[in-house]
């Protein structure tokens, strides 16, 4: 499957959403330093292979942070564009 189809496949989207939501939920329960991939995949009911097909080690946290920063940056840009 080519990369463009892989990013829009509904199964891929659902899996990534589950991983991200579960990761954020678990962060409310345990400190980041104590959160393990094993716990995350058990909560998501996926295999390690599935997890690593989507993310590398700390890639999950970095991707979430980058996405939120870009979102915030866009909000600021729009806000200040409207003031001109």
């Amino acid at each position: 499957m080519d990369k463009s189809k892989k990013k829009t496949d509904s199964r891929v989207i659902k899996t990534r959403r589950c991983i991200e939501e579960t990761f954020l939920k678990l962060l409310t329960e345990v400190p980041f330093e104590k959160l393990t991939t094993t716990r995350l995949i058990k909560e998501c009911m996926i295999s390690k292979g599935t997890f690593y097909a989507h993310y590398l080690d700390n890639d999950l946290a970095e991707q979430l942070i980058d996405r939120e920063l870009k979102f915030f940056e866009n909000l600021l840009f729009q806000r200040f564009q409207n003031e001109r």
Side-chain angles (χ1 to χ4, degrees):
M1 183 182 306
D2 70 38
K3 285 191 176 192
S4 63
K5 282 188 178 182
K6 189 174 182 179
K7 288 184 179 183
T8 58
D9 183 298
S10 64
R11 294 169 297 166
V12 171
I13 293 168
K14 287 177 186 177
T15 300
R16 289 180 70 93
R17 183 180 303 139
C18 177
I19 293 169
E20 292 173 2
E21 289 175 357
T22 302
F23 174 74
L24 293 172
K25 176 184 150 290
L26 289 173
L27 283 177
T28 66
E29 300 170 9
V30 296
F32 176 76
E33 299 79 25
K34 295 193 183 220
L35 182 55
T36 63
T37 303
T38 302
R39 182 160 181 191
L40 181 61
I41 65 171
K42 281 183 182 178
E43 291 277 331
C44 289
M45 295 185 287
I46 60 172
S47 69
K48 275 190 180 184
T50 298
F51 177 82
Y52 287 114
H54 296 278
Y55 302 100
L56 304 172
D57 298 323
N58 289 329
D59 197 34
L60 171 59
E62 290 174 14
Q63 282 186 32
L64 289 172
I65 290 167
D66 287 345
R67 186 173 65 212
E68 292 304 311
L69 286 174
K70 285 178 187 169
F71 177 76
F72 184 66
E73 183 181 318
N74 286 334
L75 285 177
L76 286 175
F77 179 76
Q78 289 173 5
R79 170 82 165 104
F80 290 113
Q81 283 291 97
N82 290 337
E83 288 185 4
R84 291 183 182 184

